[in-house]
């Protein structure tokens, strides 16, 4: 007989979130995150005066994933 109540007797089985609600919310967050980052990318490239050059060059577009300024800006704004 301790000072702590028996947690096994008072279990509440009401679920607030089901698996489908969790999956749906996760997909909504992912789609929103990507949707916000695309205009940020275009704006960054316009400011950088390299929009057409980057879009026409897959190699240059691949370098955007290593651009720290762009990545930090996109993450902060999308977050």
């Amino acid at each position: 007989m301790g000072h702590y109540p028996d947690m096994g007797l008072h279990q509440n089985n009401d679920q607030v979130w089901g698996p489908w609600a969790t999956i749906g919310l996760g997909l909504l967050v992912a789609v929103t995150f990507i949707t916000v980052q695309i205009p940020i990318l275009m704006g960054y490239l316009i400011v950088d005066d390299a929009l057409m050059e980057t879009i026409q060059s897959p190699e240059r577009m691949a370098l955007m994933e290593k651009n720290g300024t762009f990545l930090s800006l996109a993450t902060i704004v999308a977050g």
Side-chain angles (χ1 to χ4, degrees):
M1 299 286 182
H3 295 282
Y4 301 104
D6 185 8
M7 298 306 274
L9 296 177
H10 302 290
Q11 288 182 351
N12 188 356
N13 290 332
D14 294 335
Q15 288 184 340
V16 177
W17 289 97
W20 291 112
T22 303
I23 291 170
L25 183 61
L27 287 174
L28 178 66
V29 168
V31 167
T32 302
F33 198 76
I34 292 168
T35 304
V36 169
Q37 285 188 344
I38 290 172
I40 294 169
L41 172 63
M42 292 302 147
Y44 182 83
L45 293 175
I46 288 170
V47 169
D48 193 31
D49 289 331
L51 178 61
M52 291 310 294
E53 182 183 333
T54 302
I55 289 174
Q56 294 172 356
S57 170
E59 294 83 18
R60 184 165 160 92
M61 195 64 169
L63 290 175
M64 289 304 293
E65 70 185 26
K66 297 177 183 176
N67 187 325
T69 304
F70 163 70
L71 291 175
S72 62
L73 178 66
T75 302
I76 290 168
V77 173

